[in-house]
Amino acid sequence: MTLTLRRKTLVVRTLVAAIGASFASGCAVDPATGKPSFKETFASDDPCSQNARNIGIGVGVLAGAILGKQVGGDNKGLLIGGALGGLIGGLIGNDIDKRRCELSKIAKQYQLDLQVTALDTRGEAIVGADSGKAKQETAGSVVEIRDPAGAGGHFESNSDQLTPRARDYFTAIAATYDVRKSAAEIQDLNLRKQYLEKMAQRKLLLVGHTDDTGSSRLNADLSERRARAVSRFMQEHGVAAGSLYFQGAGEFYPVASNETEEGRAKNRRVEIVELSDKVSFDNYLAARRPRVEFYRQDNGDATGTMTTASAGQAAGGTAAIQGGVRARNTRTARRGAGNNDGAGATPTTNASASIAGNTKTKAGAVATAPAETTPASSPAAAKAAATDGGNWIDFGGAPLVASMQTAAIGKVESKRPFFSLISPAYADEPPVLADCTRDRARASNSVKALADGKTYRTSEHIPGLYGKTWTDQVNGHQVVVNRIAVLASDGSLSSPPEFKVYKNYDAARRSNIKPDVALQPEVNTYLGSKGLLYRIFLKGQAGLQCADIVFDSNGGSAARAGRLVYLRANTPYAADFKPKMYQ
């Protein structure tokens, strides 16, 4: 028993000494004062600092000590668990530090615009000298990669084939994610085994981003093929297929205005998102927010899409969210010139894309536009009416004006890692959220696993919004929306709906009738803290332009608010539309 006790004591002393020496070696000094610095130790701006390792050691010691105390039941168990936890945390943090340093050298060698941001377990950024964040566990990072203008882009034009230059730098980048190299440097076999078991839980997401020129659907699909191509490339260079995921986000997550070429170049990017485990990965995905203030208003280039003549017209809407919101859609109807090929490439006539990550903002509240009395009208609206040949349906509404009542959706708390660095809230109401006539469908594909291509789900549906039928009678016409399905975690669209209209419907006298309007429309969703805006784009059939439905955040059996927008004599009208779940 005495010998066993001595051995335990020796193990404790050895591990504590190792963890203490490791932690001490990571303490950095302020170059200006020559004294130990919290910022330099945990939140240095130097890409080759050891911040993540130091944070990993500290958190690992705490987590390991708690586990050791529970298992061992005494202070020895606490010390052993703390020391082992610190070592594992330090090794994982050291990986992140080494990767950040190596990536900075790769960016310099290939003249890439590359940014790395550390993430905590909640999917939020660890930024600057934020001591609160620095005390949390470093769970991963987001790496944004842009190829500067004139450098040729990541891919061949209108293709998912990497350029020869891109193959070179992605080979170097992939090598930084190969855990086998880090494991080979660990001499202790038991520690190496624990490290590999921990790293087997890691998730890597490759996401493709484009600007908003050209077809949104084609951009999203091409960016998905490119994201898949890069994830396969990383698999070929030592990254386990089971840890790899990809997404073609297209134009959905802009980080700059698409009004300028400079902004569009920033939006064409590749991101590699790394999280330590499934929980952190799910938190990250649920926290993503698009910056809707960077969404350009629809300019009427899609057939059957109505736009307003000016920003002041048709500003009334069912919901306008100032601050972080979520927009989702199925597919887009936009047409036009193709997107730029890769990051910084020359515009082409076909859609193309780059690849990678996502975003986040602090919230705001619903804003009501100033009152106006002038109905919204535009050449685009007249064109939409003309294409229908006058075969429109009268829903008994009033001319669409800016003073129409808006329905509150509430705030959306800031959860995305990067937008909080730029702006905590929108200064002005994003025009595309003022009403559906300013918006257009934006395409973004789902996150998929490289191993089997299946869509990755993070949550169940919002109650009531799990494929049910919703309906309302508007001026004697029965309006039906089938298969409304929205996920609870982030408000994303689970599946596309059907939209039908039965003119002059009389349930007592008519049965098994065919609808006068039958569409499979595009949909955007915007999620707030107090509700969900479900926005339907109706392509101009029978004069129908778009519809907004506001649901409570907990779903329910009846919409809280809504309206249907249609054209009458080349003028947009709006009618109340508050569907209920069909029982």
Side-chain angles (χ1 to χ4, degrees), residues 226-288:
R226 290 177 166 181
R228 183 191 291 113
V230 174
S231 61
R232 284 176 176 166
F233 188 84
M234 294 189 72
Q235 178 192 3
E236 293 168 1
H237 289 78
V239 180
S243 67
L244 287 165
Y245 297 81
F246 62 90
Q247 180 185 27
E251 68 178 84
F252 198 76
Y253 293 103
V255 294
S257 172
N258 280 297
E259 298 289 349
T260 66
E261 174 51 37
E262 180 183 4
R264 291 190 291 272
K266 290 181 179 179
N267 291 331
R268 299 190 296 269
R269 67 197 189 277
V270 172
E271 279 187 8
I272 305 174
V273 183
E274 176 189 17
L275 276 308
S276 61
D277 52 39
K278 184 180 186 301
V279 173
S280 300
F281 189 56
D282 290 353
N283 288 343
Y284 177 86
L285 296 178
R288 293 190 296 179

Side-chain angles (χ1 to χ4, degrees), residues 152-157 159-171 225-234 236-237 270 341 354-355:
H154 301 309
F155 299 91
E156 302 290 352
S157 179
S159 167
D160 59 10
Q161 297 298 310
L162 288 166
T163 64
R165 175 172 172 273
R167 290 182 67 86
D168 288 342
Y169 58 72
F170 273 116
T171 296
R225 294 197 300 272
R226 290 177 166 181
R228 183 191 291 113
V230 174
S231 61
R232 284 176 176 166
F233 188 84
M234 294 189 72
E236 293 168 1
H237 289 78
V270 172
D341 185 62
S354 259
I355 63 182

